[in-house]
Structure formats: structure tokens, C-alpha cells
Amino acid sequence: MKSTNDKSAGGAIRFLIGPAGSGKSSSCLEGLCAHEGAGREAFYLVPEQSTYLADRQMLEPPLPAAIRHVRALSFRRLAAILDIGGEGGAPRALDRAGRRILLRSLLDSLAPALRSPFEPLLDRQGFIDAMIGVIRDLRFEAGSFADADIERIGATGSIPQDLQRKLSALSSLRRLYEKTLVERNLQDPDLALLELPERIRRDPIQWAGRPVIVDGFLSFTSLEAETLQRIAEAGASMTITLCLDGALAGLLPLVPPPPPP
């Protein structure tokens, strides 16, 4: 396992690099134990499917039998616990039926030229749910660059014209959907994570000096990477583990050592 530091962002960032089984997670848990013992609030960011295991690990020795200051969270859970209220109060959450009704009405409101690629599919069972899934996946993978990526692909001229029209309609529908949510003070629970980077940017005070340990990820989506960037810029003290293929472990000696504090 190799440790290296980066102080180019607002807060200090420490990378733990090594192959699986090299002790990265154990080092993270030791750090969490120290934060808990000092009564210092810390976040342990792990993949969604690993939150239960992380909770179990934090309650095993040498950590204390009860945790008060350290929280194991996924990116989605982190978005859920942050304050999302504004001048209009906390937004009302859309249920699945409300989401379908709203998106269908927005599809109907699009200009005919934009709506036409999907016209034959509008009344098919499951189409609206599939459309919601596409919008969500586009934003989760591409983050705030979703529209720019769609426009870039559509402008290449190397894809069929019908697909270009569908991409243009998707981009317009996504913008309209999120604009309408804001205007009506509504929240789509599935899209709450999309607001996370901007909320962190607007309210950086609570992150200054806060320990944030990121562990267990094989890769990050653009949205997750954007969120980590905002946390770092807000001044958090971050530790990020990076798993290195065992076959490449010989490269670790080439990683420069961390600079002196």
C-alpha cells in the first residue's frame, strides 16, 4: 500500500493506493476509530451496496461498541441527510405516480418536432418509466456535463438523423423536467443526488476540516467525481483509497512519496 498527498484543492487529500488485501480499508477503519475516540464527526463514503457492511465493520473491535460521531454513507444517503430546504421550505417528494404524470405532461408540452421521435411510444406501458431511467442515468454518469455530451455526440454527423432527434428531445426534456421541479418546489427522490455538488458549493462551511474517508470504489461516475471535487474545494480533510491491480503492484515504488507537512 502506498500513501500520497495532494494539497492542490481547498483541503488536504490523502490517497491510499494498493492492490486488494493490502490494508487500505483497515487503515481507513483505524482513522475512523481515532475520529470517534476524539469525538470528531466524520463521514465514511462507501458504495451503496456496502453501507450495511461498513456499519458492521465500524462496530467491531478496536472500534467502540457504539458510534456517535462517525457515519457510513453512500453518495445517495449523503444527499438525503443534507439540508435541502430553501426559501420555499423543504420540497415535496414526488412518488412514482406523480413522476409519471409530470413527465408525460412535459412530453406533451414539447414542440411537435422534438416530440415526434417518441410519439409512437408515448402510450406504451412502461415507456415513461424507461424515459425516467434514461434521464437519471444520463445525469448520474455525465453529471452537469450531460447536455454538453449529448450535443457533442449529436453534432458529430456520424449517427443516424433519427437518433440525433431523440438525443435532442432527451436533452430538452431533461432540462424542462428539472426546471419544473424547482419551480413547483418538488423533489424527485431518485434525482436528489444531482443537487449534491451544488449544495456543497453553496454551503461549504460545514465541510471545512471535516474528515471524509472514501473507500471501496472501483471507479467513480462523473457526478460522484464532481461531488468529491466540491467536498475537497470546501476544505474537507479527505482520504481516498484507490485499488491497484495486483499485476501492477510493482509500479507502487514509482509513486512519489507525500511531501513533508
Side-chain angles (χ1 to χ4, degrees):
M1 181 175 64
K2 188 82 171 184
S3 174
T4 183
N5 292 347
D6 181 0
K7 296 185 179 180
S8 59
I13 305 175
R14 175 178 176 239
F15 293 95
L16 294 179
I17 307 171
S22 58
K24 300 185 300 297
S25 293
S26 296
S27 178
C28 291
L29 290 171
E30 290 174 4
L32 293 169
C33 181
H35 294 315
E36 178 65 30
R40 192 179 186 192
E41 293 186 350
F43 287 153
Y44 187 30
L45 269 178
V46 297
E48 185 77 30
Q49 68 273 16
S50 301
T51 52
Y52 177 73
L53 176 61
D55 283 332
R56 291 279 306 271
Q57 289 176 324
M58 289 195 302
L59 293 175
E60 294 176 354
L63 272 73
I67 297 292
R68 295 179 55 200
H69 305 287
V70 175
R71 303 187 66 170
L73 301 166
S74 64
F75 281 95
R76 290 176 186 267
R77 293 189 184 186
L78 177 61
I81 69 169
L82 294 183
D83 180 22
I84 58 175
E87 293 181 2
R92 293 178 290 118
L94 276 177
D95 58 18
R96 293 184 65 182
R99 184 190 302 148
R100 292 192 192 103
I101 292 170
L102 176 59
L103 195 63
R104 176 54 196 267
S105 68
L106 295 178
L107 272 166
D108 289 340
S109 72
L110 289 178
L114 284 173
R115 192 174 65 245
S116 61
F118 299 114
E119 198 78 52
L121 306 172
L122 289 179
D123 293 321
R124 287 195 181 182
Q125 184 176 1
F127 171 72
I128 296 298
D129 285 337
M131 183 68 74
I132 292 169
V134 169
I135 291 174
R136 180 189 61 234
D137 291 344
L138 279 172
R139 287 302 307 276
F140 284 177
E141 292 299 327
S144 59
F145 305 104
D147 291 325
D149 287 345
I150 289 175
E151 291 172 5
R152 176 178 51 79
I153 294 171
T156 60
S158 61
I159 61 175
Q161 188 175 14
D162 180 61
L163 182 54
Q164 289 185 29
R165 290 198 300 267
K166 288 180 179 178
L167 287 173
S168 179
L170 276 172
S171 183
S172 297
L173 182 62
R174 188 205 63 74
R175 287 194 298 264
L176 182 58
Y177 183 58
E178 294 183 17
K179 178 174 178 287
T180 303
L181 290 177
V182 172
E183 291 175 346
R184 300 186 185 182
N185 199 31
L186 297 170
Q187 183 189 52
D188 184 336
D190 284 351
L191 298 181
L193 180 57
L194 300 177
E195 306 166 6
L196 185 54
E198 178 61 19
R199 293 211 306 271
I200 294 170
R201 187 192 67 79
R202 291 198 308 259
D203 186 21
I205 300 300
Q206 63 178 307
W207 296 95
R210 179 191 288 273
V212 178
I213 296 176
V214 186
D215 184 37
F217 291 88
L218 295 177
S219 62
F220 299 104
T221 67
S222 293
L223 185 62
E224 290 169 345
E226 186 180 354
T227 299
L228 293 178
Q229 179 182 343
R230 294 289 180 263
I231 292 174
E233 290 172 347
S237 175
M238 298 180 67
T239 297
I240 302 176
T241 70
L242 299 174
C243 189
L244 181 69
D245 190 300
L248 301 176
L251 296 176
L252 280 178
L254 302 179
V255 178

